[in-house]
Amino acid sequence: MSAALEAIEVKKRGGGLPEDMIRSVVAGYAAGEVPDYQMSALLMAIFTRGMVYEETLALTAAMADSGGRYSFPECVDKHSTGGIGDKISLTSLPIAAACGAPVAKLSGRGLGQTGGTVDKLEAIPGFTCDLSESSFRRQVEEVGLAIVEAGEVAPADKEIYALRDVTGTVDSLPLIGSSIVSKKAATGAGHLLYDVKCGSGAFMKTAAEARELAELLVRLSESLGIRASALITGMAEPLGAAVGNALELRESLALLRGEPVPEDLDHEARLVAARLLYLKGISDAEAAVDRAISSGAAYEKLREFVAAQGGEADALESLAVSEAVREVVAPEGGYVAGFDALSIGQAALVLGAGRERKTDAVDHSVGVEALVKVGEEIEAGQPVARLYGERRAEEAERLVKEALSLSSGKVEAPTAILDSL
Ligand code: URA
């Protein structure tokens, strides 16, 4: 019997998969020897029966070993589980690098309503995340910040993730945990911070689910020799105001220049940067973060990083955004009780900021700017969002209107950071 068939037989009855069997199936699938139908059956068996920690760790290590492995033991990295308007990588990483914590980061593209750092950076003319290992390594040494697109490392995860996406097996804790950590282990940064998003615009909808994933990510990382910690952050409303590639870059630049940005974004970006510095053993991290922003060092680091990856740093001052702008206004007055992240992400998606299918092209110039935050008191007719772009603009407007819920009584502004470990 083949290892794949044996694994299906064991797992469908709720048994444990031995490490050598997991390695054999993963290697066989990456080599094209295990057919999709057997891998799909095994993934569904894992989805329904689960895996104990040792199996999840073996799966993580097998996927991490399926391609080339980098090693950056001195570097820090962060990973977000994905959200709407999430520009924490664009902001916290230049800050951390400017404070002396080198960053070697693997990033992905957006899929569905969640954005991806690679797409956002590609709003800068000339910018590329397609770096060879030697250029990536040289840039980490010379600039202290490099971002490469996921793909070369952990190729088994890439194949398995694509299969999960079409077989209803994405939302499984051991499969999500092993997928994320295999890529991080293969990239080889020595210090990792996970930002587990929680709320309508995130994978994890409840605080309990988010905590469970955060614990798994940290435990897997530490078992593989990576110092790790995690934050659980809110994703019930978009982070900051901007949702969409060039718009998010503009907001990130404002933060790095020390200009006013929404409080949730400012707080979270500074906190993540400080946590990365502490992971690296840099003391008095909050003060270092403040200095990096007020002195202009963080903004300069971003420009240096952009130029090193082929981007026109001067173009950062004038990123193109769509001239087709329409405002959505509040139908009545009251306190903002909710501005649903998922619906706003969908509005940006239909305007063209993201992909409904992997092969779709992204329009970097479109998106949504949220003009209100939960807890604010607003008047009837007050603009609550600005839409950039013409494609399916009526539908986007409807989605933004549906996202807004109002209350006649006072509403507490939510905290950006829900939990930490
Ligand atoms: N992100 C990943 O990289 N993998 C998952 O399974 C889910 C989110």
Side-chain angles (χ1 to χ4, degrees), residues 79-81 157 161 164 170 172 175-177 179-180 183 203:
H79 180 88
S80 158
T81 56
D157 169 66
Y161 189 84
R164 285 168 55 209
V170 169
S172 144
L175 294 178
I176 294 175
S179 165
I180 292 175
K183 289 186 283 264
F203 257 122

